[in-house]
Amino acid sequence: MLILGIETSCDETAASVIQGQGESVEVLSNVISSQIDIHRQYGGVVPEVAAREHILNILPTIDSALQQAGLNKLQAKDRLGGIAVTVGPGLITSLISGVTTAKTLARVWNIPIIAVNHIAGHIYANFIDAPKIKWPVVILTVSGGHTMLIKMDDHLQYQTLGDTRDDAAGEAFDKAAKLLGLGYPGGPAIAQAAQHFTGQSDIIFPRPMSEKDNYDFSFSGIKTSLLYKLKKDLDWPNRIPEYAAQYQTAIVDSLVSKTLAAAERHNAQTIMLAGGVSANLNLRKTLLERTADRLPQVQVLIPDLAYTTDNAAMIACAGYFKLVGKQTTPWADLQVDPNLKL
Ligand code: KG4
Ligand code: ZN
């Protein structure tokens, strides 16, 4: 079955066609019209600008996705099994562009519509080209807006084990990059700067909540610690790679330690990584190494880099499994929810 996915929750306008069959999902097209260069000049996403760009880009992006999947608009009506669209969480004005477009196409083509939670979409990036999944699964979901540990016993069943008490991990990367003058988006900038440091360092960042017997995170303390360290160290502009590396290590260590503790406690057979921060190579490597060391029987799945930051293939994949589970949304009931919970 073919599904068209549409994603406009933040600053990427994205459309994708996937083919699902049984448990297997293959991506036929994955088109992203990125606004990063536009928002970079403001140091972050400006919602009004993002909304306007979505309106300009959404139809050409969908056109490209259909074309690259070998579908023309006349065939789409008969070949697509449904349209999956992100309904939240995200920026309300951004979400509206995708949802309005999806609703219009679903009505014109007379095909089902599937409301997808953006976080569920990130999780389902792991189900693209995936081997057979061993349940239960514990997922570390780390993006610009969320840092959560989630347990799934089966498809579409989410249990939140832990959440962030303050900033999300991606937000912590973005804020540190601003303090270090590395620009936007901060995660890739910090990761790149960190590559230039090897060796020992006396810059130590806190590992908040590490002693706590729960699976919650906190990242605002690490960010404040960076701010105070930079104020005291007049030589910091010459030590940017070292600060970036130590900061990245502290975040990755917190994320991986909690994930392994949760996986062990909940008898996970699989650990998954999801969200924009899962593009971080140090996080990917550390999770693989420390799981092999501590829980060698556990399968670790990490999405292909193309499906880590916001994209529509992950939304189409989540939509496919919802459609299989008969969780479509009546056309008239479909609406955006910027604060949607998993
Ligand atoms: O999932 P995503 O694309 O958007 C949200 O749903 O928020 O995640 C964006 C976040 C940003 O905070 C960005 O700095 C972070 O993911 N990010 C990274 C990397 N690539 C993107 N963080 C660390 N290392 C990276 N390589
Ligand atoms: Zn996202």
Side-chain angles (χ1 to χ4, degrees):
M1 180 195 302
L2 300 185
I3 305 285
L4 170 66
I6 297 176
E7 153 65 38
T8 63
S9 67
C10 188
D11 60 341
E12 315 280 25
T13 317
S16 162
V17 178
I18 61 112
Q19 175 153 40
Q21 196 171 23
E23 288 285 305
S24 106
V25 168
E26 185 193 347
V27 176
L28 303 186
S29 64
N30 184 34
V31 180
I32 301 173
S33 168
S34 176
Q35 304 177 12
I36 283 184
D37 288 339
I38 296 169
H39 296 287
R40 184 172 283 129
Q41 56 189 305
Y42 307 108
V45 177
V46 183
E48 290 81 359
V49 176
R52 202 168 56 223
E53 288 298 312
H54 284 308
I55 292 168
L56 291 174
N57 295 330
I58 184 88
L59 292 177
T61 303
I62 292 172
D63 260 355
S64 303
L66 292 174
Q67 259 175 37
Q68 287 178 27
L71 296 176
N72 65 38
K73 272 173 273 181
L74 293 174
Q75 292 170 321
K77 176 184 180 335
D78 299 320
R79 302 268 311 274
L80 289 173
I83 300 180
V85 63
T86 308
V87 293
L91 300 170
I92 186 162
T93 43
S94 289
L95 291 163
I96 284 171
S97 319
V99 168
T100 309
T101 310
K103 262 186 122 161
T104 309
L105 291 176
R107 170 55 67 98
V108 172
W109 289 339
N110 196 24
I111 55 178
I113 196 151
I114 312 137
V116 174
N117 180 305
H118 183 78
I119 301 168
H122 275 302
I123 292 171
Y124 269 86
N126 286 281
F127 291 81
I128 296 170
D129 296 328
K132 188 167 166 37
I133 307 292
K134 296 187 226 156
W135 308 92
V137 180
V138 162
I139 309 114
L140 172 66
T141 308
V142 266
S143 69
H146 300 89
T147 304
M148 296 170 86
L149 274 166
I150 291 154
K151 182 183 176 216
M152 290 174 76
D153 288 317
D154 204 341
H155 281 296
L156 311 174
Q157 293 177 13
Y158 310 101
Q159 183 194 343
T160 302
L161 304 177
D163 208 332
T164 180
R165 298 274 175 96
D166 38 57
D167 293 350
E171 204 177 345
F173 273 111
D174 293 336
K175 287 179 175 168
K178 237 181 201 168
L179 291 175
L180 291 168
L182 296 175
Y184 165 87
I190 296 273
Q192 208 186 355
Q195 277 179 354
H196 300 289
F197 178 76
T198 47
Q200 297 294 319
S201 172
D202 57 357
I203 302 170
I204 306 293
F205 288 101
R207 300 326 194 232
M209 316 284 295
S210 55
E211 76 295 351
K212 297 261 172 22
D213 190 21
N214 63 38
Y215 308 114
D216 284 345
F217 302 93
S218 166
F219 292 109
S220 70
I222 302 184
K223 175 198 67 192
T224 310
S225 164
L226 173 64
L227 178 69
Y228 286 124
K229 284 186 197 320
L230 295 183
K231 276 191 178 162
K232 276 199 216 145
D233 180 2
L234 293 180
D235 191 38
W236 75 261
N238 296 316
R239 300 175 76 190
I240 290 174
E242 185 178 353
Y243 274 101
Q246 294 300 98
Y247 191 87
Q248 175 175 260
T249 302
I251 292 183
V252 167
D253 187 27
S254 294
L255 293 173
V256 173
S257 300
K258 291 272 169 165
T259 305
L260 292 182
E264 191 166 33
R265 163 80 179 74
H266 288 274
N267 251 325
Q269 300 300 302
T270 304
I271 293 175
M272 292 178 176
L273 198 52
V277 181
S278 71
N280 187 282
L281 297 182
N282 190 280
L283 173 59
R284 296 162 82 96
K285 183 165 166 271
T286 308
L287 180 66
L288 283 168
E289 284 174 0
R290 285 179 53 185
T291 309
D293 208 33
R294 180 162 156 191
L295 302 170
Q297 74 287 2
V298 173
Q299 173 185 44
V300 180
L301 295 185
I302 297 183
D304 189 286
L305 277 178
Y307 311 127
T308 51
T309 44
D310 290 349
N311 67 88
M314 66 186 197
I315 302 300
C317 182
Y320 166 69
F321 283 100
K322 282 193 86 170
L323 190 62
V324 170
K326 305 210 174 352
Q327 294 189 18
T328 57
T329 309
W331 189 88
D333 294 349
L334 190 85
Q335 50 190 11
V336 303
D337 182 351
N339 301 313
L340 187 66
K341 299 273 174 276
L342 190 64

